[in-house]
Amino acid sequence: MPFNRPSAGILLRLVALLATLSGAGYWALHGRAGWAVLAGLLLAALTVELASYLSRGQRQLADFLLAVQYRDFTQHFDPRQAPPGLRPLYAAFNQLNATFRELRAEKDAQFHYLQTILALLDTGLLAYDATGQVEWVNDAFTQLLALPYLNTLQALQTRHTRLYAAISRATPHHSPVVEITVNRQVLRLLLSVTRFKLRGRDVTLLAVKNVTHTLASTETDAWQKLLRVMTHEIMNSVTPIASLADTLRRHLALIQTAGPSTETPGSSPFDDVAAGLSIIQQRSEGLLRFAQVYRNFSTIATPQLMRVPVQALFQDARTLLEKQFAQQHIRVVITVHPAALAVEADRQLLEQVLINLLLNAIRAVTAAPQPQIQLLAHLDEREQVMLEVIDNGTGIAPDLLESIFIPFFTTDPGGSGIGLSLAQQIMQLHHGSIHVHSEEGAGSRFQLRFP
């Protein structure tokens, strides 16, 4: 109906005001003062009523907006008790309130769902702002560190000084492992941080993972592999030494009991003793060299990072091994894209890695009809620098791929078995990684990835 609209109500009131005003003027001109006064009072009443009618909707709108400001969506506007012209407005307010309540219910459900998921995690999570004020912490974090509560990050400094220092130094691209003691139990914690902005504020999310058992298992496995290799190397030297020692003992016993008359022409027990002692010396020197190599392997210095142009790095490595390439007629191809690609690394350590990989590649392509080694550098799909050493040599047997990075493991009789292990350790010091893809009889591809 048209009279239910706000505009119709206003129009009727304006018509009434105009009629009353006209009547008041007419009666005043014709000397009917009583009627003129009565019309004036009616005019004032109609004016007040019109003002009240116009402000009623504004008051309701102001009340609604104030409730929205304070997130109070429980109000209900009854259209049945509203003037006909305001009923559509009341219905719109109720619909908006219902929509807001539904959105809040969905938000609360998602929040509780997320809280349930985080409660099931065994990783401690802590969110704090730029001042160190804790905004959120899960139960796994407080239980892991035996904390009743935590309001500020600085509170950790009194309870776990080493942990607080490690958190202060942690960066998004570095995940340190810190060792602390909680309830007389030594824990190794892996720290990971992520920084982001939340409503214009800097917020840090810290994840703490207890890796004590994982590291212990990994270290035990590594030590077992290392001990197997060391045992193999030592037994290879000790067995002939023991055999020679027994032979020399028998020769000396023969000399003591039979005297010099037992010597045969062209042969003397003393000659055998001298030869045996020479072999023992050689094997002993081999054991000493093995120990020296192990000590060098375990004492790599902290890398001195600098900006290293990859093109120059490849050229220097090729120049250093130019003689070996020429002797075996090996074709070396260098490809760097983009040409100005550079990496943050310790140049000397990185050169050592490349040289070890190139020496392995040289040995691998010895029997190839057209030996070729490719040095390739580019950005991977994550915009990380990747250096590759590719050869068309003999490749690596599948059953050996898992062992090539074990210290002192080698299939080369003249090798020390630390080249690839050393390369892996240097890449770990650079927070990078080394991977190998190889096909027996087709060649190998070693990839160095830098963060």
Side-chain angles (χ1 to χ4, degrees):
M1 296 178 60
F3 288 98
N4 288 337
R5 299 176 182 175
S7 58
I10 294 174
L11 181 61
L12 289 175
R13 283 167 174 79
L14 288 176
V15 170
L17 280 173
L18 183 60
T20 305
L21 181 62
S22 299
Y26 175 80
W27 287 321
L29 290 175
H30 289 79
R32 296 184 179 182
W35 287 101
V37 171
L38 183 60
L41 293 175
L42 181 59
L43 179 63
L46 289 174
T47 303
V48 172
E49 198 278 335
L50 176 61
S52 175
Y53 179 83
L54 292 176
S55 63
R56 191 179 308 166
Q58 294 178 355
R59 288 197 303 271
Q60 295 296 335
L61 179 61
D63 292 343
F64 175 76
L65 293 178
L66 188 63
V68 171
Q69 179 181 355
Y70 290 101
R71 300 182 181 182
D72 179 13
F73 307 116
T74 60
Q75 285 186 331
H76 178 72
F77 299 86
D78 191 356
R80 295 173 299 179
Q81 299 180 1
L86 294 180
R87 289 174 184 174
L89 183 63
Y90 278 30
F93 287 166
N94 291 332
Q95 185 177 0
L96 287 174
N97 277 332
T99 302
F100 281 128
R101 287 196 298 269
E102 184 178 353
L103 290 175
R104 169 175 281 185
E106 291 180 0
K107 180 181 177 181
D108 291 342
Q110 291 176 357
F111 178 76
H112 290 303
Y113 180 70
L114 179 61
Q115 288 280 69
T116 303
I117 293 177
L118 294 177
L120 294 176
L121 294 178
D122 60 351
T123 300
L125 297 176
L126 172 69
Y128 56 92
D129 60 17
T131 64
Q133 186 69 31
V134 174
E135 298 195 353
W136 183 85
V137 60
N138 68 345
D139 293 338
F141 187 93
T142 55
Q143 292 174 3
L144 181 64
L145 300 179
L147 298 173
Y149 59 88
L150 186 64
N151 293 328
T152 64
L153 186 65
Q154 290 75 12
L156 283 176
Q157 191 170 11
T158 56
R159 289 177 172 266
H160 304 290
T161 305
R162 296 182 63 182
L163 177 61
Y164 176 78
I167 294 174
S168 302
R169 295 191 302 266
T171 61
H173 301 292
H174 177 51
S175 299
V177 175
V178 59
E179 185 175 292
I180 65 172
T181 302
V182 179
N183 295 332
R184 299 183 180 181
Q185 181 180 4
V186 177
L187 301 180
R188 293 182 179 181
L189 306 179
L190 176 66
L191 309 182
S192 300
V193 298
T194 301
R195 294 189 174 95
F196 57 93
K197 283 189 175 294
L198 181 64
R199 301 176 65 181
R201 298 181 298 105
D202 292 327
V203 178
T204 301
L205 179 63
L206 170 69
V208 180
K209 178 71 174 178
N210 185 5
V211 294
T212 305
H213 298 296
T214 303
L215 288 179
S217 176
T218 303
E219 289 177 357
T220 300
D221 184 59
W223 276 113
Q224 289 176 347
K225 292 180 179 179
L226 179 59
L227 288 174
R228 284 199 299 268
V229 175
M230 293 183 69
T231 302
H232 175 74
E233 292 290 333
I234 293 173
M235 289 299 296
N236 285 345
S237 296
V238 171
T239 299
I241 289 176
S243 177
L244 285 172
D246 182 66
T247 300
L248 295 179
R249 181 188 59 78
R250 286 188 281 105
H251 277 296
L252 289 176
L254 181 63
I255 293 173
Q256 291 175 352
T257 56
S261 59
T262 60
E263 298 180 8
T264 58
S267 176
S268 170
F270 291 102
D271 295 334
D272 294 337
V273 171
L277 290 175
S278 176
I279 295 175
I280 290 176
Q281 180 183 6
Q282 293 177 5
R283 296 311 306 159
S284 299
E285 290 175 351
L287 279 175
L288 289 175
R289 178 175 174 273
F290 175 79
Q292 180 65 33
V293 168
Y294 174 76
R295 186 177 67 178
N296 293 339
F297 172 74
S298 59
T299 56
I300 300 178
T302 303
Q304 304 298 318
L305 300 182
M306 64 179 67
R307 187 173 178 82
V308 181
V310 178
Q311 184 77 34
L313 180 71
F314 282 172
Q315 293 289 356
D316 291 347
R318 180 170 67 176
T319 301
L320 186 63
L321 299 174
E322 188 66 37
K323 183 177 180 180
Q324 288 92 323
F325 294 144
Q327 288 176 348
Q328 298 191 31
H329 307 287
I330 299 174
R331 180 171 177 259
V332 179
V333 180
I334 294 178
T335 304
V336 179
H337 182 74
L341 186 64
V343 63
E344 292 290 329
D346 186 310
R347 180 162 188 145
Q348 293 183 351
L349 292 179
L350 187 53
E351 284 180 349
Q352 188 172 359
V353 173
L354 280 178
I355 291 171
N356 286 337
L357 294 179
L358 287 172
L359 289 175
N360 289 342
I362 290 173
R363 287 190 289 269
V365 301
T366 301
Q370 294 180 340
Q372 175 177 299
I373 297 175
Q374 182 180 2
L375 294 173
L376 176 63
H378 59 93
L379 296 175
D380 66 5
E381 64 279 358
R382 294 182 292 178
E383 296 297 317
Q384 294 181 333
V385 178
M386 180 181 290
L387 310 184
E388 299 187 68
V389 179
I390 308 169
D391 66 70
N392 62 345
T394 56
I396 304 173
D399 57 333
L400 298 180
L401 279 175
E402 295 182 356
S403 303
I404 60 175
F405 292 107
I406 297 177
F408 311 108
F409 176 86
T410 179
T411 58
D412 181 11
S416 63
I418 69 165
L420 292 178
S421 301
L422 189 64
Q424 185 181 54
Q425 187 173 354
I426 291 174
M427 290 304 299
Q428 289 174 350
L429 290 175
H430 285 82
H431 307 295
S433 60
I434 179 172
H435 302 278
V436 58
H437 303 278
S438 184
E439 183 179 350
E440 194 170 11
S444 302
R445 176 191 296 260
F446 283 86
Q447 298 176 327
L448 308 176
R449 181 178 278 107
F450 294 84

